[in-house]
């Protein structure tokens, strides 16, 4: 069995059962700021469980790339991965009242629940239309219930009806057989899992509850199905391989590493992490010290710290691109970005790495405190996993303590920047999140600030048009006398590029197109392609500013406003300086109208 064939069999099987194939979501969730990454196929459909009418199709099927940090420490053993693909089928909007209706209309796009979900899972795994696995190899598990949540006897009854013998139906605890929610709140419920030769391959979740932010389980008005089957693990099982690393999805990567003579565990870590690195960079992430960017840095540095690997990294990455290019559309320019990120990160890391290694080698300890581990990270840039590698198995590292220190520094950083913001906007008074402009700007200053604000959006669009779509905003500051815009780019702009950017903005000003906003649900806004600088910072209902009219849209961004109403009000735009702001980030200062 190949991965391509397996993906196809799965999709075909559920399409035959009236499921609509849905595109995977990005690895960075669009509308759930409480989670860092997409860790499951259902995440992009979270709202459909409570609001089924929001989805045209009540049955969906996907292949979703996922990224989980929860297992990062375990990568290297036979089964754990950070990056993987999940095959899943989903249903929304099921109620007891529409149960018989859905049975009658099984040919149509109606919702389903346990009976169909379990029967189809069984058919997919055992029939020749699906995987054709001998039923004798299969066991299942069902939620055994606990205080306030009943035993899932309906699933037991369905498995028995199918013919699974009692001794092959195991009862599991809440930890093993209850799933969700992702993030702070959301749909969740009991699960039933399928095992082949003792290996768990498929998790069927029955979303019967909604867990609120206080942890209360509320019976859901609509019930739903969410299933997830890890492609890599299934491929290993089907091909009689003991580990995912022996399948075609890792084989070439591991082969490429062979000449380095590394321990098996290290080869596996590299093969897993290289995929994560590419898929995260494809999300426009850059390595950094906070949140998602920190995770990307962890992956990069863990791999780079292994002797001899840096020289091989690009070749390994190219193998990954080849492996996935028919399945996923990578962003244009991602290979160039990757090359320069690897180089930059390595230059930065190698500055402190040797000193850090010497420091760690002298530690001579069997236990490293979280405080010390964090100090090593902030001094030498060596992330926690790489520290563990350097220290070896004989030393226990207090990861939880590290995490606490890290979060504390994060909080400190946040309050510093909050204080900075308050100082800047409080004293000076300018454009705030809600779109109010504080009264201590004179009307003339206010007008100038408006012009500069709209010009900032035009500049952003111009940079993407001239330099490429992967230019990403990193910061901006609007004042009456000038605007400042930070963005990711690898090198200084040429004189010609600066001229083209200016000309592009001035052409849009001349066109005198309108500037409008609409209030939108954040998820819808992001899905429609509106740009957002740190999407998690915007409220669920937010404003989207559009420059241009129907058929000639120049820019669409999530933004609190306010703006001019027509671009001609800006007058004229000129770049006054362009220079490096930090590694990989450029800063443009510009003025508008007659400020120059
Ligand atoms: N959400 C469940 C999981 O991730 C099933 O898709 O396992």
């Amino acid at each position: 069995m190949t991965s391509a064939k397996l993906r196809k069999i799965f999709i075909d099987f559920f399409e035959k059962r009236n499921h609509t194939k849905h595109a995977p979501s990005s690895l960075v969730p669009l509308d759930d700021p409480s989670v860092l990454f997409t860790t499951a196929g259902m995440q992009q459909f979270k709202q459909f469980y409570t609001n089924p009418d929001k989805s045209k199709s009540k049955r969906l099927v996907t292949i979703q790339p996922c990224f989980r940090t929860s297992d990062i420490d375990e990568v290297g053993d036979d089964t754990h991965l950070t990056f993987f693909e999940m095959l899943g089928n989903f249903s929304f909007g099921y109620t007891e009242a529409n149960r018989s209706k859905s049975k009658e209309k099984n040919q149509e796009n109606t919702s389903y629940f346990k009976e169909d979900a379990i029967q189809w899972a069984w058919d997919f795994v055992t029939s020749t239309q699906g995987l054709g696995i001998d039923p004798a190899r299969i066991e299942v598990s069902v939620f055994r219930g606990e205080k306030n949540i009943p035993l899932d006897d309906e699933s037991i009854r369905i498995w028995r009806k199918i013919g699974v013998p009692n001794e092959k139906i195991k009862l599991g605890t809440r930890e093993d057989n209850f799933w969700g929610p992702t993030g702070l709140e959301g749909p969740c419920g009991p699960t039933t899992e399928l095992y082949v030769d003792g290996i768990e391959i498929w998790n069927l979740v029955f979303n019967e509850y909604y867990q609120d932010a206080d942890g209360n389980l509320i019976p859901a008005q609509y019930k739903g199905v969410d299933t997830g089957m890890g492609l890599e693990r299934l491929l290993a099982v089907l091909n009689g391989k003991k580990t995912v690393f022996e399948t075609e999805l890792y084989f070439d990567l591991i082969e490429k590493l062979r000449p380095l003579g590394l321990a098996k565990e290290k080869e596996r870590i590299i093969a897993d992490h290289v995929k994560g690195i590419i898929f995260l960079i494809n999300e426009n992430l850059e390595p950094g010290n906070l949140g998602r960017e920190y995770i990307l840095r962890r992956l990069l540095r863990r791999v780079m710290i292994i002797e001899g690997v840096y020289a091989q990294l690009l070749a390994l990455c190219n193998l990954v691109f080849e492996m996935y290019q028919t399945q996923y559309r990578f962003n244009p320019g991602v290979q160039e970005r990757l090359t320069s990120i690897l180089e930059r990160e390595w230059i930065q890391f190698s500055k402190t790495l040797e000193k850090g290694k010497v420091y760690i080698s002298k530690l001579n300890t069997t236990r490293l405190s979280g405080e010390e581990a964090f100090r090593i990270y902030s001094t030498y840039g060596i992330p926690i996993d790489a520290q563990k590698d350097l220290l070896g198995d004989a030393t226990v590292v207090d990861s939880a303590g590290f995490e606490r220190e890290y979060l504390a520094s994060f909080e400190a950083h946040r309050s510093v920047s909050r204080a900075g913001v308050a100082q800047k906007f409080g004293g000076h008074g300018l454009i705030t999140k809600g779109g109010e402009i504080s009264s201590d700007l004179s009307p003339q200053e206010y007008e100038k600030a408006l012009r500069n604000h709209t010009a900032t959006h035009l500049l952003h669009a111009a940079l993407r048009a001239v330099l490429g779509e992967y230019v990403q905003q990193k910061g901006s500051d609007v004042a009456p006398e000038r605007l400042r815009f930070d963005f990711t780019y690898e090198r200084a702009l040429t004189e010609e590029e600066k001229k083209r950017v200016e000309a592009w903005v001035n052409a849009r000003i001349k066109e005198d197109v309108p500037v409008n906003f609409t209030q939108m649900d954040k998820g819808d806004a992001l899905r429609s392609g509106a740009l957002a600088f740190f999407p998690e910072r915007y409220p669920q209902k937010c404003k989207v500013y559009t420059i241009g009219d129907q058929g000639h849209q120049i820019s669409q961004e999530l933004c609190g406003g306010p703006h001019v109403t027509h671009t001609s009000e800006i007058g004229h735009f000129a770049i006054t300086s362009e220079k490096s702001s930090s590694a990989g980030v450029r800063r443009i200062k510009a003025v508008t109208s007659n400020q120059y």
Side-chain angles (χ1 to χ4, degrees), residues 100-258:
S100 55
K101 210 165 119 210
S102 91
K103 283 242 139 249
E104 282 158 29
K105 290 209 219 159
N106 204 19
Q107 296 312 309
E108 288 178 24
N109 189 14
T110 46
S111 48
Y112 58 88
F113 200 46
K114 295 183 185 176
E115 189 129 8
D116 291 318
I118 292 178
Q119 182 69 52
W120 289 336
W122 178 258
D123 291 347
F124 179 76
V125 172
T126 59
S127 76
T128 47
Q129 252 188 34
L131 306 177
I133 294 176
D134 179 358
R137 293 169 64 191
I138 300 171
E139 282 183 350
V140 302
S141 67
V142 172
F143 182 52
R144 78 168 179 207
E146 64 167 40
K147 210 170 93 209
N148 301 333
I149 322 175
L151 159 81
D152 185 7
D153 49 0
E154 191 182 351
S155 292
I156 297 178
R157 188 182 52 72
I158 299 166
W159 284 122
R160 283 194 186 135
K161 202 167 120 200
I162 284 174
V164 177
N166 274 343
E167 68 275 14
K168 292 201 167 185
I169 305 175
K170 313 276 180 214
L171 291 181
T173 60
R174 178 154 185 183
E175 197 176 320
D176 292 326
N177 282 91
F178 195 94
W179 201 87
T182 58
L184 293 177
E185 60 181 312
C188 57
T191 72
T192 184
E193 297 169 330
L194 280 86
Y195 289 75
V196 175
D197 304 334
I199 299 163
E200 183 205 323
I201 60 153
W202 205 347
N203 188 18
L204 317 185
V205 183
F206 302 122
N207 287 314
E208 303 185 55
Y209 299 96
Y210 188 91
Q211 183 173 312
D212 69 15
D214 297 324
N216 303 311
L217 279 185
I218 304 152
Q221 183 189 355
Y222 298 106
K223 296 177 182 181
V225 173
D226 148 32
T227 89
M229 180 153 56
L231 175 82
E232 293 78 358
R233 197 186 292 177
L234 183 61
L235 195 63
V237 168
L238 293 173
N239 290 310
K241 305 288 186 199
K242 272 199 8 244
T243 81
V244 294
F245 298 102
E246 290 164 41
T247 67
E248 56 164 52
L249 290 172
Y250 294 93
F251 190 80
D252 291 348
L253 290 168
I254 303 265
E255 277 300 292
K256 188 121 211 138
L257 289 165
R258 280 281 138 82

Side-chain angles (χ1 to χ4, degrees), residues 368-387:
L368 193 68
S369 72
E371 222 176 351
E372 175 72 326
F374 184 73
R375 218 175 57 74
I376 294 175
Y377 173 62
S378 31
T379 316
Y380 302 110
I382 303 178
I384 182 108
D385 329 82
Q387 290 184 33

Side-chain angles (χ1 to χ4, degrees), residues 64 77 96 276:
Q64 175 67 53
D77 68 6
E96 290 306 323

